[in-house]
Amino acid sequence: MIPTGCTEIAKDPTGIPGFDLITYGGLPRNRTVLVSGTAGSAKTVLAAQFLAEGIQQFDHHGVFVTFEETPDDIRKNLVGFGWNIQEWEEEEKWCFVDASPTLNGHTVISGQFDMGALLARIEHAIGKVGAKRVSLDSIGSILGRFPDTHLVRSELLRIAAALKLLNVTALMTSERVDEYGHISRYNVEEFIADNVIILRNTLQDEKRRRTIEVLKFRGTNHQKGEYPFTVRSGEGIVILPLSAMELTQKSTTVRISSGNQDLDNMCGGGFFRDSILLITGATGCGKTLLTNVFMRAGAESQERCLLLAFEESRDQVVRNASGWGINFEEMESDGYLKVICTYPEHNNLEDHLIQIKKLIDQYQPTRLAVDSLSALHRVSSPKGFREFVVGLTSHVKAHQIASLFTSTANYGLNGNSTVTADHISTITDSIILLRYVEFFGEMHRGLTVLKMRGSYHDKQIREFTIDDYGIHIGRPFRHVTGILRGNPQHLPQSEIDRLGALFEEESS
């Protein structure tokens, strides 16, 4: 939602996925924007994509002024994003102004200098292709070549003013030394432009995380804070404007089956069609079985189901399901199931999120299962993981897809704590806890519905068993305490009598 009073300055949509949402419409028209970032933060990609999307989506021709790489290097480096720059040059939609260093690498300074010749070349290129957009990459290169940075700043200001008069929207890149230090390397670049955007590529717990922040948009509004983004082959930069999402999804009272009648009864008649369900418990206590049963119930209702497995190969998933009498291959051949198995470390979480969204948009499932979130948690920082969960759950909510997520408890077989669940528990509509319960040298399993938003549910902890035919939920545990804490203890008869008498006194 764009706040009232934010439209005084016209903006040009960039076409970069997610960018126009966090900037409330794109870059301020006919102004210069500084993009600052450390090495590897994708400044050149953003500068080039600004021109490429302009050509592809808006027929806005562009000029790329390069101060570092040669045009030939840029053409080769960017072809992987699907941008055929050479073809655009031949069609006079894209024009390079080559200001990169010469091969001998020596610059001779003699007396005062100005950038009049460079400005003349830029003006000529703009006129040649009828450009609406200009990218300059990177001004830090020329600041490093000339000792008088104040004079260079003055000349760059002159270029920025000239670009404004030429009615083009310009994007200018610059280096910075630290992710959270000074805005730019020479501390003068940010004073050249009216607007500043920062790209970051931070290292957290041995994991890289890219973010973009609009630091300053003079005279107009924008979303505040950092937003994650990724650089994808064939696409370029894709920004995930997670906190810019709105709670506008619809709701329904329609219930669907979990695939187990007893569990449906415990949940007051099944799950809501648009609900997010979390199943959490220790390893081997039945989470994957409940997931498979959930998928089978969808296929039996002729729904389209999407299963995303991050811990087992496709053959393992199919084989294990068949062990419980669930034929995934038949469900797939009937068109009611798609199984996608991916190793979590294959991508970062931002790429996983984008890929999952595309799968959902293409396959249009009514049920989704992710087994498990814990596997994805290990490839990201806590903040990145929470952003992934928020992004995914908001997407499936918007499409009213019944979604089931599993989470493995991290500490001990009793599963008394789950780091992954801590990040998603407040977002989910329903939570089912699975626990191991040890009595007299024998292992039992317990199940309870911890949370069922908007509905009555069974509060008891019930024993369940697993055999070749699936899961069977039985009677509630009696005279046992401490199951959820992971420390079950059988109450002696004297304690049961004492507690019973206590409640009788209170009721009387």
Side-chain angles (χ1 to χ4, degrees):
M1 182 176 66
I2 300 177
T4 304
C6 299
T7 57
E8 294 86 356
I9 296 178
K11 292 181 179 177
D12 283 331
T14 63
I16 299 171
F19 188 93
D20 298 337
L21 191 56
I22 65 171
T23 55
Y24 290 144
L27 297 181
R29 183 173 300 164
N30 300 339
R31 293 194 174 190
T32 300
V33 178
L34 176 72
V35 177
S36 185
T38 56
S41 57
K43 299 184 296 297
T44 301
V45 177
L46 182 64
Q49 191 171 357
F50 171 57
L51 302 190
E53 300 292 355
I55 293 171
Q56 294 179 123
Q57 298 191 39
F58 308 103
D59 196 27
H60 285 180
H61 299 182
V63 171
F64 196 102
V65 184
T66 173
F67 297 107
E68 284 185 333
E69 300 175 274
T70 65
D72 193 45
D73 286 339
I74 293 174
R75 292 187 195 100
K76 292 176 181 174
N77 294 338
L78 300 179
V79 72
F81 297 113
W83 305 328
N84 194 334
I85 295 175
Q86 189 166 358
E87 183 177 307
W88 291 335
E89 288 180 278
E90 293 169 358
E91 296 171 352
E92 295 196 342
K93 295 179 178 178
W94 178 301
C95 185
F96 276 110
V97 173
D98 185 3
S100 60
T102 56
L103 288 177
N104 60 32
H106 297 293
T107 302
V108 178
I109 308 296
S110 178
Q112 287 284 4
F113 69 94
D114 63 48
M115 295 186 180
L118 174 64
L119 180 57
R121 293 172 63 193
I122 296 174
E123 289 177 347
H124 173 73
I126 291 173
K128 178 183 176 183
V129 299
K132 294 287 187 184
R133 304 182 178 203
V134 173
S135 289
L136 301 96
D137 181 58
S138 123
I139 62 171
S141 177
I142 55 172
L143 285 169
R145 272 187 263 164
F146 297 97
D148 190 344
T149 55
H150 294 289
L151 179 58
V152 175
R153 174 195 171 190
S154 174
E155 289 298 307
L156 288 172
L157 274 171
R158 181 182 162 198
I159 291 177
L163 293 174
K164 194 171 186 178
L165 292 175
L166 291 169
N167 295 325
V168 296
T169 304
L171 195 151
M172 187 181 292
T173 70
S174 178
E175 295 79 24
R176 63 194 309 226
V177 179
D178 301 316
E179 298 292 359
Y180 292 94
H182 294 292
I183 293 175
S184 57
R185 181 187 295 273
Y186 298 98
N187 297 321
V188 298
E189 297 94 315
E190 60 266 35
F191 301 107
I192 298 169
D194 298 321
N195 315 290
V196 177
I197 292 173
I198 294 178
L199 302 181
R200 294 189 175 91
N201 186 22
T202 57
L203 183 64
Q204 299 175 359
D205 299 328
E206 301 181 353
K207 303 176 183 73
R208 286 285 176 188
R209 180 171 182 267
R210 296 179 189 271
T211 61
I212 183 171
E213 178 185 9
V214 180
L215 185 67
K216 179 178 75 170
F217 262 21
R218 187 169 291 166
T220 184
N221 211 340
H222 57 85
Q223 291 278 351
K224 308 300 188 297
E226 296 181 59
Y227 293 86
F229 74 92
T230 185
V231 180
R232 294 176 59 80
S233 177
E235 296 181 63
I237 288 176
V238 178
I239 300 169
L240 305 171
L242 301 177
S243 57
M245 295 174 177
E246 299 175 359
L247 289 171
T248 57
Q249 65 269 18
K250 297 179 180 178
S251 186
T252 177
T253 57
V254 175
R255 291 182 184 257
I256 60 172
S257 173
S258 66
N260 183 287
Q261 187 59 51
D262 293 326
L263 183 57
D264 289 347
N265 294 337
M266 292 180 69
C267 295
F271 306 126
F272 289 118
R273 156 64 63 198
D274 57 347
S275 62
I276 306 292
L277 168 66
L278 174 67
I279 298 178
T280 179
T283 179
C285 63
K287 299 184 297 298
T288 299
L289 173 55
L290 282 175
T291 303
N292 293 347
V293 169
F294 181 70
M295 293 284 96
R296 180 177 61 186
E300 289 175 347
S301 303
Q302 299 187 339
E303 299 178 45
R304 296 164 73 88
C305 306
L306 177 61
L307 171 59
L308 305 176
F310 294 98
E311 292 185 325
E312 298 173 306
S313 69
R314 176 183 172 79
D315 286 348
Q316 287 177 304
V317 170
V318 173
R319 180 202 64 192
N320 295 341
S322 66
W324 295 308
I326 302 173
N327 193 333
F328 273 176
E329 290 181 325
E330 182 177 306
M331 291 161 60
E332 281 193 302
S333 65
D334 291 339
Y336 298 128
L337 176 67
K338 182 184 283 291
V339 179
I340 304 294
C341 300
T342 308
Y343 197 56
E345 281 76 4
H346 181 69
N347 274 321
N348 59 39
L349 271 193
E350 289 79 14
D351 284 319
H352 278 302
L353 177 58
I354 293 169
Q355 192 63 35
I356 292 171
K357 284 184 174 180
K358 285 185 175 179
L359 275 170
I360 290 173
D361 293 341
Q362 292 168 1
Y363 185 62
Q364 297 288 316
T366 55
R367 293 192 184 209
L368 168 71
V370 177
D371 186 30
S372 73
L373 280 179
S374 304
L376 292 169
H377 184 260
R378 67 172 184 255
V379 300
S380 175
S381 64
K383 182 176 176 59
F385 179 73
R386 180 162 182 82
E387 288 173 342
F388 167 83
V389 170
V390 171
L392 180 56
T393 53
S394 63
H395 192 72
V396 298
K397 278 275 190 182
H399 290 73
Q400 291 198 328
I401 301 171
S403 302
L404 183 153
F405 301 93
T406 66
S407 169
T408 303
N410 289 345
Y411 309 122
L413 290 178
N414 287 329
N416 54 359
S417 180
T418 310
V419 174
T420 305
D422 290 342
H423 288 87
I424 190 176
S425 58
T426 56
I427 300 172
T428 56
D429 299 300
S430 307
I431 298 177
I432 294 176
L433 291 181
L434 306 181
R435 290 287 186 266
Y436 284 114
V437 185
E438 179 190 359
F439 282 127
F440 310 115
E442 186 175 344
M443 193 67 78
H444 300 255
R445 291 183 172 93
L447 179 152
T448 188
V449 179
L450 185 67
K451 173 184 176 183
M452 187 76 191
R453 189 173 281 163
S455 171
Y456 160 83
H457 62 90
D458 190 340
K459 309 294 192 304
Q460 300 180 96
I461 304 173
R462 293 180 176 271
E463 184 179 16
F464 72 95
T465 58
I466 296 175
D467 60 20
D468 293 341
Y469 302 99
I471 187 168
H472 308 278
I473 300 175
R475 296 176 301 175
F477 286 97
R478 296 297 185 194
H479 308 154
V480 181
T481 184
I483 294 177
L484 295 184
R485 295 197 307 271
N487 183 29
Q489 294 184 349
H490 197 280
L491 290 177
Q493 189 59 47
S494 58
E495 184 66 8
I496 297 170
D497 294 340
R498 186 187 71 81
L499 290 174
L502 179 64
F503 286 112
E504 286 176 1
E505 289 175 2
E506 287 184 350
S507 60
S508 63

